[in-house]
Amino acid sequence: MDKIPVYFMPGLAASSRIFENIKLPEDRFEMYYLEWIMPEPHEPLTDYAKRVAANIKHENPVLVGVSFGGILVQEISRIINVRKVIIISSVRSSLQFPRRMRFAKMTRAYRVFPTTLMQKVDWLAKVSFGNNMITRKLNLYEKYMSFRDKKYLDWAFEMVITWSRTEIDEKVVHIHGTADEVFPARYIHNFIPVKGGTHIMIVNKYKWLNENLPRLIEG
């Protein structure tokens, strides 16, 4: 039986090292990793998705995306045929954004957001993961969040806030932590809950993911 190709896309500013503890049975799956690339000036997310999709070398792959990477793999699935899309700590629609993100879109506040400060790991950690673990987890953020070019951050922040999909694709498998600080679970429905999982559960809830991802991929 052919192995199932599974492509992993990290979250905003993160490298594929966030998946270092994710292990799938080697007799059934082949794991591949996508990385962020520099966007072109004013590049739409759809065009960016096409460029990232060019790095996918298998037919009908499984796509797994975290946070903004979850949004991106949903856009890629509109371009190529996929076996399955799984998102982690992400959203399936802009209607699932918390109020602060919807307000930022309405007021275009993202245009004046200080992304220069986001290049500093503590600010990037705060924006991406919330306040509660910054002092304890700076080393983790420094390790995993390595793509911090200001042009990329300006573009990525705008692409997240202005994502306009309102129709949910019910075929997308959505895994979400009940304690997610960035995309609070109360705004989301029809997801697979991970009790106590935060926005960084790809790092600290990897045992749950290793146990359940094979079934979710093949199911």
Side-chain angles (χ1 to χ4, degrees):
M1 183 177 65
D2 292 338
K3 297 180 182 180
I4 299 173
V6 184
Y7 283 78
F8 291 84
M9 186 73 214
L12 191 153
S15 75
S16 62
R17 285 200 291 179
I18 68 168
F19 301 112
E20 64 184 3
N21 291 318
I22 301 300
K23 309 295 181 185
L24 300 178
E26 294 182 358
D27 61 329
R28 292 147 57 196
F29 306 98
E30 291 182 330
M31 298 174 64
Y32 300 91
Y33 304 98
L34 300 170
E35 301 283 1
W36 295 107
I37 56 178
M38 281 297 298
E40 301 292 341
H42 310 295
E43 184 172 21
L45 186 60
T46 51
D47 291 352
Y48 187 89
K50 291 176 184 177
R51 292 203 292 131
V52 175
N55 294 313
I56 297 174
K57 307 302 182 183
H58 297 80
E59 295 183 358
N60 297 312
V62 173
L63 304 181
V64 179
V66 173
S67 191
F68 181 33
I71 291 174
L72 182 62
V73 296
Q74 290 177 81
E75 293 299 321
I76 292 174
S77 72
R78 289 184 164 187
I79 299 167
I80 66 173
N81 292 324
V82 299
R83 176 182 178 123
K84 186 168 289 187
V85 174
I86 299 174
I87 64 172
I88 301 170
S89 307
S90 189
V91 291
R92 292 187 292 171
S93 161
S94 60
L95 299 179
Q96 297 179 333
F97 285 160
R99 291 174 184 171
R100 65 181 180 276
M101 293 181 69
R102 283 179 276 167
F103 179 78
K105 179 178 181 178
M106 181 179 64
T107 61
R108 298 189 176 184
Y110 58 85
R111 293 178 179 268
V112 295
F113 193 84
T115 48
T116 299
L117 292 176
M118 287 178 67
Q119 291 177 287
K120 298 179 180 180
V121 69
D122 54 341
W123 271 80
L124 187 53
K126 181 176 179 180
V127 170
S128 299
F129 300 129
N131 293 309
N132 60 337
M133 293 186 180
I134 291 178
T135 56
R136 294 190 292 119
K137 300 293 186 179
L138 283 182
N139 288 338
L140 276 180
Y141 300 138
E142 187 70 54
K143 175 181 180 181
Y144 293 123
M145 303 182 73
S146 59
F147 203 86
R148 301 199 294 266
D149 185 281
K150 185 181 185 306
K151 291 180 180 178
Y152 163 80
L153 291 173
D154 287 341
W155 172 86
F157 194 68
E158 180 178 354
M159 290 302 102
V160 173
I161 296 296
T162 62
W163 192 48
S164 59
R165 181 179 295 192
T166 57
E167 185 175 343
I168 290 176
D169 184 349
E170 297 293 347
K171 297 189 298 294
V172 173
V173 177
H174 188 174
I175 304 170
H176 207 79
T178 60
D180 194 298
E181 314 90 355
V182 177
F183 299 121
R186 65 181 178 274
Y187 295 104
I188 301 172
H189 63 279
N190 294 338
F191 63 93
I192 299 169
V194 179
K195 186 176 181 180
T198 66
H199 200 63
I200 59 168
M201 69 179 185
I202 191 66
V203 174
N204 56 27
K205 293 287 187 180
Y206 65 89
K207 291 181 180 179
W208 187 99
L209 293 164
N210 288 342
E211 180 179 347
N212 290 277
L213 273 177
R215 171 180 57 83
L216 294 172
I217 291 171
E218 294 177 318

